Amino acid sequence: MTHTFGYVYKFVYRIRRPGLDVEDVKMGTQMLIRSIQMSNLADDYWRLHSKRQITSSSPLSSLSPFIDSIGVMRVGGRLQNSSLDYNAQHPVILPRKHPVTRAIILDLHRKNLHSGPRALLASMRLQFWPIGGRKTVSAATSKCIICFRAKPQLAQHLMADLPKDRVNATSTFMVTGLDFCGPFCYKTGVRSKMPVKTYVCVFICYATKAIHLELVQDLSTQAFFGALKRFILTRGKPARIWSDNATNFVGAKNELAELRSLFLSGPHIRAIEEFCLEDSIEWQNPADLEVLTPAHFLGTFPLVLYSEPDVTNLNFNRLDRWQRIAYLQQIFWSRWREEYLTLLQQRSKWRTSKPALQVNDVVLVQNDNLPPLKWPLARVMELVPGSDGVARVAVIRTATATTRRAVRKLYVLPKQDLVESPGLPTGGECSVMPQPN
C-alpha cells in the first residue's frame, strides 16, 4: 500500500525519476493519511484548517491537534520540550475504524514479533496515534491467527443439566466414574536405578462424591483390570461405570470374558458396553437376584439390596434395631435430596452461550502432549446436539481421518475480515511517461 501511494505521489507531482526511493514512499504515505483524515475526521480537520477551535465533544479535544506544513493532522500534546523526536512528540492521528489504521497496526504487530496490545500501542505511539488507544489495537490484533494459536480460547457453551445418575439416591459407588491421574515418579530401593513412573486410578461415586484411589503401575489394560478388581473387592460391584475414551479403557472391550469374571455372580450377568456421545464409555451390569457368594463378605454391602419399607413416619422409639438402621439411612437420603441436591442448581461456569460452533468452521484440536502451536487443524463436518439442543460433540475432519471430538477440546480460529476495495472511477486516459535513457 505504501509503495502504491509512492507511485501516486510521483504521478501527482510529475516526478520523472525512475523507481522509488525512501522519500517517495514517505510522502506517498503522508498523502494517503491526509486523504483519510480529510474524509473520516472531516469536521475536526476543516475546523483546524480554518483556524477554528474543535468542539469539546470531539475525541481529539484532549490532544490539542494541529495541521502541519504538508496538511497532516498531528497531536499537539505536552511533550514539545522532551528529548523525543518530532514524530514521537507529535504523532500522526489515525481514525478509529479504518482499513488503513488496521493495516498499520498489523504491520507493526508483525514487526514487533506479535507483541501484546499494551506493548504494541506504546511502540505505535512513537509515530502514530490511533483514536481509541488500546481498544483499537486489541480489536485489530484479536484475529491474528499466530497469536490465537499461541494462546487459544475455548468456544463456550451452556453448562448441561446434571445426568440422571448424579441426582438420584443410590448406594455408595453403585454408579462410579473413573479416570487416571499422574504420572508420579517414585524411587525403588536400588540407589542407581532411575525413578519409575506410576499412576493413580480415581474412582468417584456419582451420588455422594466419595473417592477411592488405586495405585497403577502403567497405562495398560491389564493394569486397569487389576485396579478394577481391587476396587470391586473393596467397595462392592457397581451397577454402572463411566469413563472417558482412553486407550486402556477401550482395550477392555476386547477382553469381555475377563471382565465378566470380575463380577463373581454367575453366567447370567451380562456386560454391556455403550459408547456415549461425549467421548465416554458406559459399562452396564443388570442387577438380578443372586445366591450368597464370598463377594458379599468382601464388599462393604450386599451386591443386591432389598428395598426396605418407609419407616420415617413411625415413632423412632417403637422401632427395633434393624428398623432404626433403615430409619437413619432413609433420613440421610431424604436430607441428601433436600439439602445437597439444591446446592447443585446453580451453574458455576459456562453460564451463557457464546457464538456456537458451526459447520465448516476451522478449529484447533487440543492435544495435551503437544504445545498449542503444534495442535492439528480440522474442519467441522457435523454437529451432534444433546437432549437440550446444545451441540457438545462435533464430527471433524483432520488431514488424516474423520473422527468425533468433544466441543470443549475444539478451538475455533478467528474469522478474518474481508475488506472490499472501493470502486475506482472509470473514464479518462492515463499516458505512461517515458523513462529517461
Side-chain angles (χ1 to χ4, degrees):
M1 187 186 302
T2 57
H3 283 67
T4 300
F5 274 83
Y7 284 108
V8 172
Y9 166 76
K10 292 183 64 177
F11 175 80
V12 170
Y13 291 95
R14 299 184 179 181
I15 301 175
R16 297 178 179 272
R17 181 176 64 251
L20 284 178
D21 57 16
V22 177
E23 188 66 21
D24 296 335
V25 174
K26 177 182 176 182
M27 298 304 297
T29 302
Q30 292 178 348
M31 178 186 295
L32 170 63
I33 294 175
R34 181 178 62 192
S35 63
I36 293 172
Q37 292 176 343
M38 294 172 65
S39 60
N40 290 267
L41 303 172
D43 183 65
D44 295 332
Y45 186 91
W46 293 113
R47 280 178 175 271
L48 293 175
H49 189 270
S50 59
K51 307 298 182 182
R52 290 186 297 167
Q53 187 72 22
I54 63 175
T55 60
S56 59
S57 60
S58 172
L60 306 181
S61 59
S62 62
L63 301 177
S64 302
F66 69 96
I67 297 179
D68 63 7
S69 58
I70 60 175
V72 177
M73 189 162 51
R74 294 178 176 268
V75 175
R78 306 171 59 195
L79 303 179
Q80 297 183 21
N81 298 323
S82 66
S83 59
L84 298 173
D85 60 9
Y86 180 79
N87 287 330
Q89 290 179 0
H90 306 290
V92 176
I93 297 175
L94 297 176
R96 187 189 304 269
K97 296 179 181 179
H98 196 277
V100 173
T101 303
R102 182 174 181 271
I104 293 174
I105 293 174
L106 293 180
D107 181 62
L108 292 175
H109 183 59
R110 288 188 291 267
K111 290 180 179 179
N112 286 273
L113 303 179
H114 298 271
S115 58
R118 188 182 296 274
L120 178 59
L121 181 61
S123 175
M124 188 174 185
R125 282 178 173 172
L126 296 177
Q127 187 176 2
F128 301 100
W129 189 278
I131 299 176
R134 187 175 178 182
K135 291 184 178 179
T136 302
V137 173
S138 299
T141 59
S142 61
K143 297 183 179 181
C144 176
I145 300 298
I146 296 178
C147 293
F148 181 86
R149 296 197 67 172
K151 192 177 181 181
Q153 297 179 0
L154 182 65
Q156 179 175 315
H157 53 72
L158 188 67
M159 180 180 288
D161 295 337
L162 291 172
K164 182 178 178 180
D165 293 331
R166 288 285 308 276
V167 294
N168 290 318
T170 59
S171 300
T172 308
F173 291 107
M174 188 60 67
V175 180
T176 303
L178 66 89
D179 201 356
F180 275 42
C181 66
F184 304 96
C185 295
Y186 75 95
K187 297 186 68 174
T188 60
V190 182
R191 179 179 299 180
S192 59
K193 194 172 182 179
M194 295 294 294
V196 180
K197 287 184 178 180
T198 188
Y199 300 84
V200 173
C201 187
V202 183
F203 298 86
I204 304 177
C205 174
Y206 265 40
T208 62
K209 290 187 177 180
I211 297 177
H212 179 90
L213 303 179
E214 287 290 342
L215 191 64
V216 182
Q217 291 184 352
D218 51 45
L219 296 178
S220 64
T221 301
Q222 295 300 326
F224 161 64
F225 273 137
L228 185 59
K229 287 179 182 178
R230 295 191 296 272
F231 166 75
I232 291 177
L233 296 179
T234 305
R235 302 296 180 184
K237 180 186 61 179
R240 190 177 295 108
I241 298 178
W242 289 89
S243 68
D244 60 9
N245 207 17
T247 306
N248 50 349
F249 302 144
V250 175
K253 69 179 182 180
N254 299 323
E255 303 184 26
L256 289 180
E258 184 173 354
L259 184 62
R260 289 191 183 97
S261 66
L262 298 177
F263 296 109
L264 303 176
S265 54
H268 62 283
I269 296 297
R270 302 188 310 273
I272 304 174
E273 295 176 323
E274 292 183 359
F275 285 89
C276 301
L277 290 180
E278 296 190 6
D279 269 357
S280 56
I281 302 175
E282 179 185 6
W283 306 81
Q284 292 185 343
N285 172 38
D288 299 328
L289 292 176
E290 44 193 12
V291 297
L292 187 64
T293 65
H296 291 79
F297 302 97
L298 293 174
T300 56
F301 55 86
L303 300 184
V304 175
L305 296 179
Y306 175 74
S307 178
E308 293 288 342
D310 185 11
V311 295
T312 56
N313 56 350
L314 301 179
N315 187 355
F316 184 77
N317 296 324
R318 293 179 58 249
L319 303 179
D320 58 22
R321 182 177 179 84
W322 178 252
Q323 288 176 330
R324 290 187 178 187
I325 295 176
Y327 176 89
L328 294 176
Q329 290 179 340
Q330 293 170 5
I331 287 294
F332 170 81
W333 288 113
S334 176
R335 294 189 60 183
W336 178 85
R337 287 189 297 269
E338 297 172 0
E339 300 177 14
Y340 170 72
L341 282 183
T342 55
L343 299 177
L344 304 180
Q345 283 281 14
Q346 296 179 334
R347 287 178 166 87
S348 58
K349 56 182 179 178
W350 307 337
R351 300 175 182 176
T352 57
S353 294
K354 292 183 179 179
L357 195 68
Q358 299 178 358
V359 177
N360 291 328
D361 280 349
V362 179
V363 296
L364 290 175
V365 184
Q366 180 180 351
N367 188 336
D368 296 332
N369 298 323
L370 295 175
L373 286 175
K374 294 186 178 180
W375 286 355
L377 291 173
R379 183 177 295 276
V380 178
M381 306 303 297
E382 182 185 352
L383 297 175
V384 184
S387 58
D388 56 355
V390 179
R392 296 182 176 86
V393 176
V395 179
I396 60 173
R397 185 181 66 193
T398 62
T400 57
T402 300
T403 184
R404 285 190 176 191
R405 281 292 181 271
V407 173
R408 65 178 181 271
K409 295 184 178 181
L410 303 179
Y411 297 80
V412 185
L413 290 179
K415 297 180 176 64
Q416 300 296 318
D417 295 331
L418 298 178
V419 180
E420 297 182 359
S421 301
L424 298 177
T426 58
E429 182 177 324
C430 180
S431 59
V432 181
M433 294 184 294
Q435 297 182 358
N437 295 329

